[in-house]
Amino acid sequence: MRIEDYALIGDMQSAALVGRDGSIDWLCLPRFDSPACFAKLLGDASHGSWWLGPSSGGPATRRAYRGETLILESVWDTQGGTVKVIDFMPPRHVSPDLVRVVEGVSGTVEMSTELRIRFDYGRIVPWVRRTDGHLQAIGGPDSVWLHSTIPLKGGDYKHKATFRVSAGERQTFVFTWHPSHEPRPEGIDPIDQLGQTEAFWTEWVASGSHGGPWRDAVVRSMVTLKALTYAPTGGIVAAPTTSLPEDVGGVRNWDYRYCWLRDASMTLDALIQSGYLEEAGAWREWLLRAIAGRPQDLQIMYGVAGERRLPETTLDWLPGYEASRPVRIGNGAVDQLQLDVYGEVINSLYQSRRHGLPPNEHAWQLTRKMMDFLESGWDQPDEGLWEVRGPRRHFVHSKVMAWVAADRAVRLVEELSRSGPSGRWRALADRIHAEVLRKGFDPGRNTFTQSYGSRELDAALLLIPMMGFLPPEDPRVVGTIEAVERELSSDGFILRYPIAEANAVDGLPGGEGAFLACSFWLAEAKARIGRKEEAIELFERLLSLRNDVGLLAEEYDPRYGRLVGNFPQAFSHVPLIHTAQALS
């Protein structure tokens, strides 16, 4: 299936991808970054999957989330009748549970299920036994139980069942993970948990503020972002998947199941703007724990509990999504220098305080320490926000975000009564600002450039007015917006920067799709310079790229008319929210 054929379910500690055909092809337990027990997404059924649907097969006739929740309902209309499969993961109590409920809607439908449990990304075939009529699978540290109202028969390293469901009937399946050395976990009532899960999501959405003509798209994005938070710590992952390719069949395959400071800061800003301060408080506490230590040791990403060691390795036994190899876990970019994250973090701390989060002395001391580092380190070359694997450069966006860090530190002192050397920081901001205007702007073309002395452009330059570096009406801003649209457009959508064949900055072979966040940035930038009709037209085009349940991947490839990259991607849903708010 294509990437857009999947829907997301999750419990704010892990997540699963459910295909249109009723197959769960990706699930990592017990955390987002744990080894997968269903890894068909990056291989085939033998690497773990769980199919449930009419015996006749085929994709669901229609599917949707129940109301404003993360409960997926897939419906099949067959010759014999209509049947619904409800998939969800209840907010976790002790053990993670995945629940599947089959409901007969009309007539009688023959259903089938086929379960292949694998551990360690499809490498370990577990030992499966039946206890009290239920299945238990054990492999090393992992164990899962399947409690079902339908008995499954084993053979050929899989378990299968065929059954009939008539109108008004229900059959339930509960898949529960726990450490293999611990006692059997306590079972749950799947129907009771269905009601509790619906109530949880409905109440959470209602606690925020949502409005405007694109409310449905904004709420679905908000629910997706909430699903990507790791509830025990407050960390926020960039995506629940690894190695979904940016270039199908190519090598641009990365593990996004970690907490990027940039992505998390942007996600937090979107949540704050809609009134979700509890998430802001939890993230601030996660941040203080994760980056405790010397500011020069700040990493661009951490594990969901704040882990620092995220070594990048490859899983050679997996063929990859549509032969996109290698399949990677871990992320080597963890060791990169990306100066913009200092600006993202300090801006996020400022915005959360401005919107009502109580002051925190430890957070302020952290801000001061980061500013101490930036005062001497802002003028270093770095790898930039796109995590290029070519040589370091003086990226303009990185310098702009260093200015943001200094500017927001000053505001924390002057607007929010913190104690600090605001005069010195203001002088630093002015120095950075002047250098960017002098070295990062091409007056002949009336545009800012990707890095000092380069002619290439970068879609991150669209953030200059959003960050307040220059006002939207400034001719240099307007010129940059026009240049980015002219030179980085692919079928009306925006590339991050010139692809590898034309620009060796990223140090990788092959091309990639249009980056959806960049396209949303263009729409918001157009709105800010008064071109609202153009902005709305582009925004509506971008919304049309969402799949049938409102989800977006990292990129869209106009060459093939499909979504590419890890899915769903927080970095795509955050600017959707911001653009909708700007246009409303």
Side-chain angles (χ1 to χ4, degrees):
M1 289 182 289
R2 290 191 170 198
I3 291 169
E4 55 263 42
D5 287 328
Y6 289 98
L8 176 77
I9 58 173
D11 64 359
M12 292 160 293
Q13 294 190 46
S14 185
L17 294 187
V18 186
R20 289 179 188 267
D21 64 348
S23 180
I24 297 177
D25 292 345
W26 183 253
L27 174 62
C28 299
L29 291 174
R31 305 192 332 179
F32 290 108
D33 57 351
S34 297
C37 56
F38 297 144
K40 179 183 175 183
L41 183 70
L42 301 178
D44 56 41
S46 68
H47 297 109
S49 66
W50 183 6
W51 173 66
L52 174 62
S55 300
S56 55
T61 309
R62 55 194 175 276
R63 62 177 183 170
Y65 287 110
R66 176 181 291 188
E68 295 175 338
T69 76
L70 204 63
I71 300 168
L72 179 69
E73 299 184 329
S74 304
V75 178
W76 282 263
D77 295 325
T78 73
Q79 287 186 343
T82 298
V83 65
K84 177 190 297 183
V85 174
I86 304 169
D87 291 311
F88 67 100
M89 295 178 70
R92 195 173 302 184
H93 303 292
V94 178
S95 300
D97 299 294
L98 189 157
V99 180
R100 314 196 77 175
V101 179
V102 181
E103 285 189 353
V105 178
S106 67
T108 299
V109 180
E110 183 180 89
M111 301 289 290
S112 293
T113 188
E114 186 171 290
L115 175 66
R116 288 181 169 91
I117 303 171
R118 302 291 186 268
F119 296 128
D120 195 20
Y121 303 100
R123 189 173 62 170
I124 296 175
V125 179
W127 171 45
V128 181
R129 62 185 179 184
R130 194 177 304 276
T131 304
D132 299 331
H134 304 291
L135 296 180
Q136 181 189 21
I138 297 176
D142 299 293
S143 177
V144 297
W145 286 83
L146 180 70
H147 297 81
S148 66
T149 53
I150 297 295
L152 276 68
K153 183 178 180 180
D156 194 25
Y157 304 108
K158 60 188 175 184
H159 285 75
K160 303 170 66 174
T162 298
F163 58 98
R164 292 178 177 273
V165 62
S166 299
E169 294 181 348
R170 276 178 171 166
Q171 302 293 348
T172 61
F173 302 81
V174 180
F175 183 93
T176 305
W177 179 95
H178 72 112
S180 60
H181 65 276
E182 292 186 357
R184 176 178 177 176
E186 185 176 344
I188 63 169
D189 181 329
I191 304 304
D192 176 68
Q193 288 299 309
L194 176 60
Q196 291 192 35
T197 302
E198 182 174 10
F200 169 84
W201 285 107
T202 301
E203 291 168 9
W204 183 81
V205 171
S207 68
S209 55
H210 313 286
W214 298 285
R215 183 186 186 282
D216 289 347
V218 168
V219 168
R220 180 48 52 195
S221 293
M222 285 290 183
V223 169
T224 303
L225 296 180
K226 176 66 171 175
L228 297 180
T229 62
Y230 186 68
T233 66
I236 304 171
V237 299
T241 58
T242 180
S243 300
L244 289 180
E246 298 169 8
D247 183 22
V248 175
V251 301
R252 297 172 183 262
N253 318 315
W254 315 111
D255 193 347
Y256 276 15
R257 300 170 299 157
Y258 305 112
C259 302
W260 270 255
L261 295 187
R262 176 191 311 107
D263 297 46
S265 298
M266 291 181 172
T267 298
L268 191 67
D269 188 50
L271 291 167
I272 290 171
Q273 297 292 337
S274 294
Y276 294 109
L277 283 182
E278 182 179 342
E279 285 73 15
W283 181 84
R284 186 172 70 179
E285 292 302 315
W286 172 86
L287 178 73
L288 295 176
R289 295 189 300 270
I291 69 177
R294 299 186 306 167
Q296 59 266 40
D297 296 332
L298 181 79
Q299 296 184 179
I300 64 166
M301 74 179 85
Y302 297 84
V304 293
E307 296 89 349
R308 297 189 176 213
R309 288 176 53 82
L310 308 174
E312 184 175 300
T313 59
T314 60
L315 307 182
D316 296 332
W317 63 88
L318 286 174
Y321 179 85
E322 292 192 19
S324 303
R325 302 184 71 181
V327 171
R328 294 181 173 93
I329 58 171
N331 200 304
V334 69
D335 297 320
Q336 289 189 353
L337 174 64
Q338 297 178 21
L339 291 171
D340 69 291
V341 299
Y342 292 88
E344 295 288 358
V345 169
I346 294 177
N347 180 58
S348 182
L349 293 173
Y350 164 71
Q351 295 294 347
S352 60
R353 281 283 294 113
R354 191 168 71 88
H355 283 82
L357 201 66
N360 181 296
E361 187 59 30
H362 293 300
W364 177 240
Q365 292 304 318
L366 173 67
T367 300
R368 295 195 60 164
K369 290 295 185 182
M370 286 190 286
M371 286 307 304
D372 288 345
F373 170 74
L374 277 181
E375 284 186 274
S376 60
W378 71 271
D379 57 353
Q380 300 179 48
D382 71 342
E383 278 90 0
L385 85 162
W386 303 128
E387 300 175 2
V388 299
R389 301 206 172 190
R392 289 181 174 180
R393 288 170 167 78
H394 289 283
F395 287 103
V396 170
H397 175 262
S398 296
K399 308 304 184 190
V400 168
M401 293 308 298
W403 173 88
V404 168
D407 177 78
R408 302 313 190 259
V410 170
R411 294 188 186 200
L412 281 161
V413 172
E414 297 179 351
E415 298 175 12
L416 298 168
S417 304
R418 305 306 296 179
S419 176
S422 60
R424 198 172 78 220
W425 292 340
R426 176 54 65 197
L428 173 64
D430 291 343
R431 187 160 67 251
I432 298 172
H433 198 275
E435 181 179 287
V436 171
L437 295 182
R438 186 174 69 256
K439 295 183 177 181
F441 183 75
D442 182 345
R445 298 160 63 208
N446 191 33
T447 182
F448 287 93
T449 58
Q450 183 179 52
S451 60
Y452 290 173
S454 72
R455 288 188 57 81
E456 289 84 8
L457 298 183
D458 191 315
L461 300 170
L462 295 168
L463 295 172
I464 286 175
M466 283 77 133
M467 293 294 106
F469 186 83
L470 287 174
E473 64 272 13
D474 189 292
R476 291 166 293 190
V477 170
V478 176
T480 300
I481 294 170
E482 292 174 343
V484 167
E485 183 176 21
R486 182 174 61 249
E487 297 187 24
L488 295 182
S489 179
S490 177
D491 194 31
F493 304 110
I494 302 301
L495 303 170
R496 294 185 295 177
Y497 46 78
I499 58 175
E501 287 82 0
N503 177 18
V505 66
D506 65 7
L508 291 167
E512 64 177 13
F515 210 77
L516 291 172
C518 301
S519 303
F520 281 114
W521 293 342
L522 177 62
E524 183 175 353
K526 281 175 172 282
R528 288 177 178 266
I529 63 174
R531 300 177 184 176
K532 191 169 183 179
E533 290 186 5
E534 294 180 26
I536 291 175
E537 181 182 1
L538 175 56
F539 184 60
E540 294 284 3
R541 281 194 72 197
L542 289 164
L543 291 183
S544 72
L545 301 182
R546 296 174 302 153
N547 73 354
D548 57 316
V549 290
L551 302 180
L552 288 169
E554 183 179 28
E555 301 179 8
Y556 173 76
D557 196 327
R559 295 174 298 177
Y560 310 114
R562 58 184 299 188
L563 295 175
V564 292
N566 283 303
F567 175 86
Q569 174 65 243
F571 208 47
S572 297
H573 285 278
V574 167
L576 182 159
I577 295 168
H578 284 314
T579 306
Q581 291 170 339
L583 291 174
S584 298

